[in-house]
Amino acid sequence: QDCMNHLCCKKTGMEKATEAAINAHYYWSMYNSQFCVKGDHRQVKQMVKKLPSETRQIEYLKEQVRICTLGFGWTKGYTPDYSTQWTENKKKKTLKEPIAWAEYIVRDEKQYEIPDEPHVITPQPAFVP
């Protein structure tokens, strides 16, 4: 079957919102898991050292950041903004930089109230006069 400009492959606004809501709930619930570092920023390095490869270590650090950005909604346009770039000039950052960012988040998030529920943005229908 031929796709015209791959329109059949593109997600609708509702599909994107549904996926975002699922991710928000997943990452929000991860905050209370044993894998989420809370309180002592030094735990970040301890958890990373337990992982067998740099790829797994980077993915773990990304998950820590996603808890705040996707689960809590603390990203661009919100306070705090914990969004970050994982590459610079198309090159992966060294492991030291993501560790430092995750440690910063663990130290900084103490001053904010953890949301009682996931951060979900519901799309609004277009206004039709």
Side-chain angles (χ1 to χ4, degrees), residues 4-65:
M4 186 174 189
N5 295 324
H6 296 286
L7 291 176
C8 64
C9 300
K10 292 184 179 180
K11 293 181 181 177
T12 66
M14 187 57 73
E15 289 170 327
K16 289 178 187 176
T18 301
E19 187 175 306
I22 291 167
N23 282 333
H25 189 272
Y26 172 76
Y27 285 107
W28 175 82
S29 63
M30 274 184 63
Y31 181 75
N32 291 314
S33 76
Q34 64 186 9
F35 302 107
C36 181
V37 175
K38 298 178 276 300
D40 185 359
H41 69 278
R42 293 172 294 198
Q43 291 178 343
V44 172
K45 281 184 187 167
Q46 292 170 2
M47 292 295 284
V48 168
K49 285 180 184 179
K50 293 178 183 179
L51 299 171
S53 68
E54 186 173 322
T55 302
R56 297 275 302 272
Q57 293 169 340
I58 293 289
E59 190 56 35
Y60 172 78
L61 294 165
K62 285 181 179 182
E63 294 287 285
Q64 295 302 301
V65 174

Side-chain angles (χ1 to χ4, degrees), residues 68-69 72-83 104-105 108-109 111-113:
C68 294
T69 57
F72 301 162
W74 294 347
T75 188
K76 292 180 183 170
Y78 295 90
T79 300
D81 177 0
Y82 291 138
S83 56
Y104 166 75
I105 290 172
D108 192 60
E109 73 181 6
Q111 64 183 317
Y112 300 101
E113 187 173 327

